Structure formats: structure tokens, C-alpha cells
Amino acid sequence: MMHNAERWLKLLLLLFGVPPTLAIIPFLMPMSWMAAIHEWLGMGVLPDKPIVDYLARYASGFSAFYGILLLLLLKDVRRYAPVITFQAVAIIVLSGLAALFAWRAGMPWWWIIRDVVSCWSFCGAMLWLQTKIPPPSSPNESR
């Protein structure tokens, strides 16, 4: 029988996992589209340099990978509890550090706040919900 906290954790993993999977779109889109979106967001002209293309695609590809990982983890939250904990703590730490770099780089304040609040809210809730899920009583229960 599935515990109520387990259902909520699976829902959080789904809600936090689907958006990054959509990063496959910018991973594949032409740089001209990325440049147009960059300007539309009010960030000026996107530099036409190889490192910009590489890093934009790398970040998008890695985001899509992360989203797919979360979708895989929701299949069995008891078995994958250590991985769920690790990724939640890592995202909380990384988003905090990234906020400092984003502020220093001149990113819009709304971008930084949205990123930190969403990461800390979702990942904090994941960690809290994991404390509410009883461990499996036998090795086969989580399967």
C-alpha cells in the first residue's frame, strides 16, 4: 500500500522533473532562435562565440538529463531514497551558489529569485516528505 507522503513525493518529482526535460528544445534549436529569445528577455545581444553555443547546449542537455532522472526516480521513491536525498541537497546547494554567480553576472533579480525559490521549495519539500515515508518492511516491498 502506498503511503500518502509517497504519493506527494512522486507528484513533486513529476512537477519538478517535467520542466527541465523541455530543455531538450533549446538543446536542439538553432542559435539564431536562442539569440532572439535572449534579446526578447531583455538581456541584450547574445555573443556569437563558440563557447556560448557550447555552454548553452551543454546546460540545456544537462537540464533535460536531470528532468529525465527525476522522472525515473519517481518510479520507486523508497528504493531510490538515497539518490532523491542526494539530488535534493545538491540542488539546494548549487542553486544557492548559482544565485551568487547570477547576481555577480548581472542577471535580472526576478530570474535569480524564481530559481532559488523554486529549487529550495521543491527540494525542501522532497526532503521533508521523505521523512514521512516509512522504510520498506522487507527488501521486496519497494518493488
Side-chain angles (χ1 to χ4, degrees), residues 20 22-38 43 46-65 111:
L22 299 176
I24 197 69
I25 296 167
F27 179 75
L28 299 172
M29 76 173 45
M31 273 307 288
S32 61
W33 295 10
M34 283 189 213
I37 292 168
H38 191 268
M43 295 188 201
L46 185 68
D48 185 20
K49 302 289 181 190
I51 191 69
V52 173
D53 186 312
Y54 167 76
L55 288 176
R57 293 186 194 287
Y58 186 86
S60 297
F62 201 82
S63 292
F65 164 79
W111 184 290

Side-chain angles (χ1 to χ4, degrees), residues 5 11 13 24 26-27 31 46 49 54 59 63 74 93 101 108 118 121 129:
L11 179 61
L13 289 167
I24 197 69
F27 179 75
M31 273 307 288
L46 185 68
K49 302 289 181 190
Y54 167 76
S63 292
L74 75 79
V93 171
F101 289 121
S118 66
S121 298
L129 284 168

Side-chain angles (χ1 to χ4, degrees), residues 5 19 25 29 41 45 47 69 81 92 106 108 111-112 114 119 141:
I25 296 167
M29 76 173 45
L41 288 171
V45 176
L69 175 66
I92 288 170
W111 184 290
I112 298 167
R114 180 209 54 86
C119 289
E141 185 181 324

Side-chain angles (χ1 to χ4, degrees), residues 62-84:
F62 201 82
S63 292
F65 164 79
Y66 175 64
I68 293 166
L69 175 66
L70 293 182
L71 297 178
L72 291 172
L73 293 175
L74 75 79
K75 299 296 183 186
D76 192 338
V77 296
R78 291 182 190 209
R79 181 189 307 171
Y80 301 128
V83 180
I84 294 169

